């Protein structure tokens, strides 16, 4: 046995803490089938320092030690689950999610995958507004005389009164005179007859 101080024994300390504070089961990740070609090609990248590190269960997990944080290699089967675990807490934007995921885990297409999954996250789509569309105020020509331009609108259904449940409102833009016509239905034929008769 050899004693290693806590600050020097980063791998064991980090891995033991991660399993306590998260629902990520690293033993299952170790048991998951990995694409051997993917892992071998990943090991040839010189900027990474991939090593096998022991878990408390005695199994070994591939981790990158090239940064100050130990980043475990995640097989294909667990990538989306881990993304949902990290992104689902606060639903940060694309850049923040990529930064979070990249600082904690590694796999070959991590940036591309995280970007796609963040863009297609339904709660993010519903809650976050990136661009506000502001419509210009409408510009209307001044009418030349009475009843040249009449604005119409239908109101209802309303509580029934003498068999009528709807109301047709008509406003002349030139004189601002208003008319409210009760209707029993709002079919195009009924509305047209009411407008021309009143």
């Amino acid at each position: 046995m050899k004693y290693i101080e806590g600050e020097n024994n980063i791998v064991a300390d980090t891995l033991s803490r991660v399993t306590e504070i998260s629902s990520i089961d690293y033993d299952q990740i170790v048991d998951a089938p990995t694409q051997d070609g993917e892992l071998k090609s990943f090991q040839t990248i010189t900027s990474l320092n991939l090593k096998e590190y022991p878990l408390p269960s005695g199994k070994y997990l591939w981790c990158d030690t090239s940064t100050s944080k130990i980043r475990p290699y995640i097989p294909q089967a667990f990538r989306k689950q881990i993304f949902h675990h990290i992104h689902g807490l606060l639903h940060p934007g694309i850049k923040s999610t990529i930064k979070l995921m990249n600082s904690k885990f590694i796999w070959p297409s991590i940036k591309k995958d995280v970007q796609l999954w963040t863009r297609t996250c339904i709660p993010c789509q519903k809650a976050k507004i990136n661009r506000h569309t502001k419509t210009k105020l409408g510009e209307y020509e001044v009418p030349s005389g009475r009843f040249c331009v009449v604005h119409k609108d239908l109101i209802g259904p309303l509580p029934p009164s003498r068999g009528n449940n709807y109301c047709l409102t008509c406003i002349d833009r030139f004189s601002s005179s208003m008319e409210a016509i009760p209707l029993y239905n709002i079919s195009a034929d009924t509305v047209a007859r009411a407008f021309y008769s009143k």
Side-chain angles (χ1 to χ4, degrees):
M1 293 180 71
K2 183 180 175 185
Y3 172 73
I4 302 173
E5 288 183 35
E7 60 184 30
N8 295 332
N9 194 5
I10 299 167
V11 177
D13 194 35
T14 304
L15 289 175
S16 62
R17 284 184 188 174
V18 168
T19 52
E20 285 176 16
I21 62 169
S22 72
S23 62
I24 298 170
D25 188 354
Y26 286 97
D27 288 331
Q28 282 186 348
I29 289 173
V30 171
D31 294 337
T34 58
Q35 297 171 352
D36 292 334
E38 182 182 78
L39 187 57
K40 284 178 184 175
S41 66
F42 211 44
Q43 289 171 329
T44 60
I45 299 172
T46 55
S47 62
L48 298 176
N49 188 12
L50 283 175
K51 293 182 180 178
E52 283 189 307
Y53 284 101
L55 294 172
S57 63
K59 297 177 182 178
Y60 287 88
L61 178 67
W62 283 100
C63 295
D64 171 42
T65 59
S66 62
T67 61
S68 60
K69 289 185 179 179
I70 305 303
R71 302 179 301 166
Y73 169 80
I74 307 298
Q76 179 76 37
F78 286 90
R79 292 174 186 172
K80 198 154 190 182
Q81 175 190 340
I82 286 176
F83 165 78
H84 286 301
H85 179 74
I86 300 295
H87 180 75
L89 294 172
L90 297 172
H91 292 281
I94 293 172
K95 288 181 183 177
S96 300
T97 307
I98 289 173
K99 189 175 178 182
L100 275 170
M101 294 293 290
N102 224 3
S103 69
K104 295 176 186 289
F105 308 102
I106 58 165
W107 68 77
S109 58
I110 188 167
K111 289 183 181 177
K112 184 180 174 186
D113 292 343
V114 170
Q115 182 177 13
L116 175 68
W117 295 334
T118 307
R119 280 194 178 158
T120 56
C121 175
I122 301 298
C124 289
Q125 300 266 335
K126 289 180 178 178
K128 293 189 178 174
I129 300 169
N130 296 328
R131 191 178 300 141
H132 294 272
T133 306
K134 294 183 179 177
T135 309
K136 291 194 314 183
L137 291 174
E139 295 178 5
Y140 298 101
E141 293 180 17
V142 177
S144 57
R146 291 178 59 203
F147 304 114
C148 291
V149 178
V150 178
H151 296 278
K152 298 180 286 296
D153 194 15
L154 290 167
I155 304 170
L158 302 167
S161 174
R162 297 183 185 169
N164 297 310
N165 291 358
Y166 300 93
C167 185
L168 171 67
T169 59
C170 307
I171 302 173
D172 174 41
R173 187 154 24 117
F174 184 80
S175 64
S176 297
S177 66
M178 293 181 277
E179 201 59 53
I181 307 164
L183 300 173
Y184 57 92
N185 69 34
I186 52 172
S187 67
D189 187 53
T190 305
V191 171
R193 288 178 187 280
F195 176 70
Y196 283 112
S197 66
K198 301 288 182 176

